[in-house]
Amino acid sequence: MARTRLARQQGAGLAFVSPYFLVFAVFGLFPLVYTAWVSMHEWTLLAGKVEFIGLENYRELMVDSAFWRAMVNTFGIFVLATVPQLVVATVLAQMLNTRLRSRTFWRMGVLLPNVASVAAVGIIFGMIFARDYGIANWLLGQIGLDAIDWRAHRWSSWLAIATMVDWRWTGYNALILLAALQSVPKELYEAAKIDGASAWRQFWSITVPMLRPTLIFVTIVATIGGIQLFTEPLLFNPGANAISGGNRGQFQTVAMYLVQEAFTGQRFGYASTIAWVLFLVIALVAAINLLLLRRIRSAD
């Protein structure tokens, strides 16, 4: 009797969670496996050519200079955007957790950049970093520096795109970290103050360890978004050839190169290969981030 009741309970539990696994199998697992299958083919829809070639696409990708240039661009923009974004978001969350006047206003205000349309953000930042009449060059002129053609150089285009990404996502991450900070017991800070700990000491010894699980979450999400970066660099170079990321591909990301190969080059097998390599890179970087963040001192 007891075994029958236990089997019914287990069956009911599996029935409750099964929709998730069904949806994941249809929209997550199947595309992943099918992309791997397509990556082993010379697949051109317009020519109607579908030919199994094994790992030939992967061998070609390993010596493709355009792919490695896009990979360097992706990691350059990712580092410039993600590291300062998470540092500033953590400090911002700590500030928003203090007794500020009009605290709700400031907390809502940091989310406004994320509410704005990404297209509008791209247009505005394109104007800010315009070569001839941009505000960025005007500010440089005010302090006696020469104007910069932001789109012409690798480092300057990376910096401009990273600024765009930081502006959109720093407030969003700060609110997630703020929600985690709300659960930190106030008694820990009060005890630290009694012991004479400075604000920096409290931040490093209490705030950071207590935020470790949330930091892992926002870092992994930022890693996935950063390595898949597509919209911001595309809007930074409006025009018919925007997908190339500049006349020398100086800010073309891997996601942009993937789309270019699929829809401009009509090489769906090769684009699927890029997608699979990108997936493996994201998994590797996320695992490295997880290991590094676990080394942050535990609150226990």
Side-chain angles (χ1 to χ4, degrees), residues 100-180:
L100 287 173
R101 181 174 293 179
S102 305
R103 190 165 49 183
T104 304
F105 169 79
W106 293 112
R107 289 177 177 178
M108 295 299 294
V110 297
L111 195 60
L112 285 178
N114 191 254
V115 175
S117 163
V118 65
V121 173
I123 293 171
I124 292 170
F125 273 82
M127 295 171 67
I128 290 174
F129 290 101
R131 184 189 61 184
D132 296 324
Y133 304 106
I135 296 175
N137 278 340
W138 178 78
L139 291 173
L140 290 177
Q142 297 302 305
I143 56 176
L145 297 177
D146 295 332
I148 298 173
D149 189 353
W150 294 92
R151 292 180 178 82
H153 310 288
R154 212 174 202 186
W155 69 269
S156 57
S157 58
W158 289 3
L159 191 62
I161 294 168
T163 304
M164 197 187 315
V165 175
D166 285 341
W167 190 82
R168 283 201 74 219
W169 294 104
T170 300
Y172 174 81
N173 287 323
L175 281 188
I176 293 177
L177 294 168
L178 175 63

Side-chain angles (χ1 to χ4, degrees), residues 74-297:
T74 301
F75 271 90
I77 298 171
F78 163 68
V79 172
L80 283 176
T82 304
V83 175
Q85 180 188 140
L86 295 181
V87 172
V88 174
T90 306
V91 175
L92 196 58
Q94 177 72 4
M95 293 172 63
L96 291 173
N97 197 39
T98 58
R99 294 180 180 176
L100 287 173
R101 181 174 293 179
S102 305
R103 190 165 49 183
T104 304
F105 169 79
W106 293 112
R107 289 177 177 178
M108 295 299 294
V110 297
L111 195 60
L112 285 178
N114 191 254
V115 175
S117 163
V118 65
V121 173
I123 293 171
I124 292 170
F125 273 82
M127 295 171 67
I128 290 174
F129 290 101
R131 184 189 61 184
D132 296 324
Y133 304 106
I135 296 175
N137 278 340
W138 178 78
L139 291 173
L140 290 177
Q142 297 302 305
I143 56 176
L145 297 177
D146 295 332
I148 298 173
D149 189 353
W150 294 92
R151 292 180 178 82
H153 310 288
R154 212 174 202 186
W155 69 269
S156 57
S157 58
W158 289 3
L159 191 62
I161 294 168
T163 304
M164 197 187 315
V165 175
D166 285 341
W167 190 82
R168 283 201 74 219
W169 294 104
T170 300
Y172 174 81
N173 287 323
L175 281 188
I176 293 177
L177 294 168
L178 175 63
L181 272 177
Q182 301 286 304
S183 63
V184 178
K186 303 295 182 188
E187 293 79 8
L188 291 176
Y189 292 102
E190 292 171 0
K193 286 180 182 176
I194 293 173
D195 290 341
S198 63
W200 167 251
R201 187 66 181 172
Q202 292 177 40
F203 175 76
W204 188 247
S205 299
I206 299 176
T207 303
V208 173
M210 295 298 285
L211 285 180
R212 190 178 61 166
T214 311
L215 278 172
I216 291 173
F217 169 75
V218 296
T219 302
I220 291 176
V221 171
T223 300
I224 295 171
I227 296 179
Q228 290 182 329
L229 193 64
F230 178 78
T231 308
E232 284 85 354
L234 186 72
L235 293 172
F236 187 63
N237 184 37
N241 204 26
I243 199 69
S244 64
N247 54 358
R248 290 175 284 108
Q250 59 268 29
F251 52 89
Q252 184 185 49
T253 62
V254 176
M256 294 169 71
Y257 185 57
L258 185 158
V259 173
Q260 185 182 37
E261 287 297 312
F263 297 102
T264 303
Q266 289 292 313
R267 300 187 64 194
F268 289 92
Y270 195 63
S272 299
T273 307
I274 298 171
W276 247 95
V277 171
L278 188 61
F279 167 74
L280 295 175
V281 169
I282 290 172
L284 178 63
V285 175
I288 293 172
N289 282 335
L290 184 63
L291 290 174
L292 290 176
L293 285 170
R294 278 184 173 177
R295 287 184 173 274
I296 296 176
R297 187 171 56 182

